[in-house]
Amino acid sequence: DVTIRDNRKLWSIGGVFEEEGGKIGNPKGVYTRQGGGELSSEDEDAIAKMLMDRYQAKKLRNYDAADEIRDAMMTNYNISIDDSSNSWRVDTGDYAQAGGKNTLSQDDVEYIDTKLKERFSLKRERLYDQADAIRDDLRERFGVKIDDRTKEWIVDSDLSEENVGSVVG
C-alpha cells in the first residue's frame, strides 16, 4: 500500500508521513483493540482476519461486503469498530469510572453503574429520550459526565459539592 505525494516529493508505505507529523503505527487495515471484554485468543485471531478482509473489501469499494463483515462481527462477537482511530472493542454496557474528583459513596457508585447499564440498554433500543433522562439525572444528582465513546464516566469537579446528591435509602 504505497502512497506518493508528488508535490512534497514524499512516498510512504501505509500512508503515514513522518515528515508531516504522522506517527508510525499500525499499517492501514490493522486495528488495535481497546477496552475490556472476554475473548479467547482464537476469537481475537478470527476478528483480526475479519478486520483485514473488511479493509480489503472497502479498498476495492465493495461496501456491501464490508458491511456484511462488520455486521457478522457485531452478531458473532459483539464488536464495535471505530474506523477513524483504527480500533475495535467488545461492545458491552459496562462503563468504567475514570479519574477526577470523587466524593461518592460505594452505594452511589453502584447506583450510577446500574443506571448506566439501563441507559446503555435504552440506547440500544433507540429509546433516546429515556436514555437522555438518565444522563441528565446523573448529571444533576451526582455531577456525572458520561463519555459514550470511551465508555467512561467521571464526577465533574466544576460542580459544587452542595449540589451533588446521594442515594437515599
Side-chain angles (χ1 to χ4, degrees), residues 7-160:
N7 60 338
R8 304 280 317 261
K9 296 185 179 174
L10 297 173
W11 65 275
S12 168
I13 296 177
V16 177
F17 294 90
E18 283 186 89
E19 298 85 354
E20 295 178 346
K23 294 180 182 176
I24 295 180
N26 291 340
K28 287 185 177 181
V30 176
Y31 286 67
T32 304
R33 180 178 179 178
Q34 293 183 333
E38 296 295 321
L39 290 172
S40 68
S41 59
E42 293 83 17
D43 288 344
E44 287 189 18
D45 291 343
I47 290 165
K49 181 181 180 332
M50 292 174 85
L51 286 166
M52 185 53 72
D53 291 345
R54 181 174 175 268
Y55 169 74
Q56 293 298 328
K58 286 174 65 175
K59 189 174 174 182
L60 296 171
R61 298 182 190 273
N62 188 349
Y63 300 113
D64 290 336
D67 289 347
E68 286 176 18
I69 294 168
R70 180 203 60 216
D71 294 344
M73 286 190 291
M74 184 56 161
T75 301
N76 297 332
Y77 302 104
N78 204 27
I79 298 299
S80 176
I81 303 167
D82 183 354
D83 287 318
S84 63
S85 65
N86 281 359
S87 63
W88 64 274
R89 63 180 170 77
V90 179
D91 197 9
T92 68
D94 296 334
Y95 282 72
Q97 184 178 1
K101 184 178 178 183
N102 181 2
T103 58
L104 300 174
S105 70
Q106 185 61 34
D107 286 342
D108 290 342
V109 172
E110 289 173 9
Y111 176 81
I112 291 167
D113 285 338
T114 300
K115 295 308 274 183
L116 288 172
K117 287 177 183 175
E118 180 182 338
R119 180 175 177 270
F120 178 80
S121 294
L122 290 168
K123 287 181 69 173
R124 273 258 165 106
E125 296 170 21
R126 298 179 184 257
L127 299 172
Y128 299 115
D129 289 340
Q130 294 174 26
D132 290 347
I134 291 173
R135 178 201 61 210
D136 296 343
D137 179 59
L138 292 174
R139 172 80 176 153
E140 184 178 313
R141 290 177 65 185
F142 302 101
V144 169
K145 288 173 98 175
I146 302 167
D147 185 340
D148 289 316
R149 189 183 60 78
T150 61
K151 297 282 192 195
E152 295 178 334
W153 64 273
I154 63 168
V155 177
D156 186 354
S157 61
D158 292 335
L159 191 62
S160 64

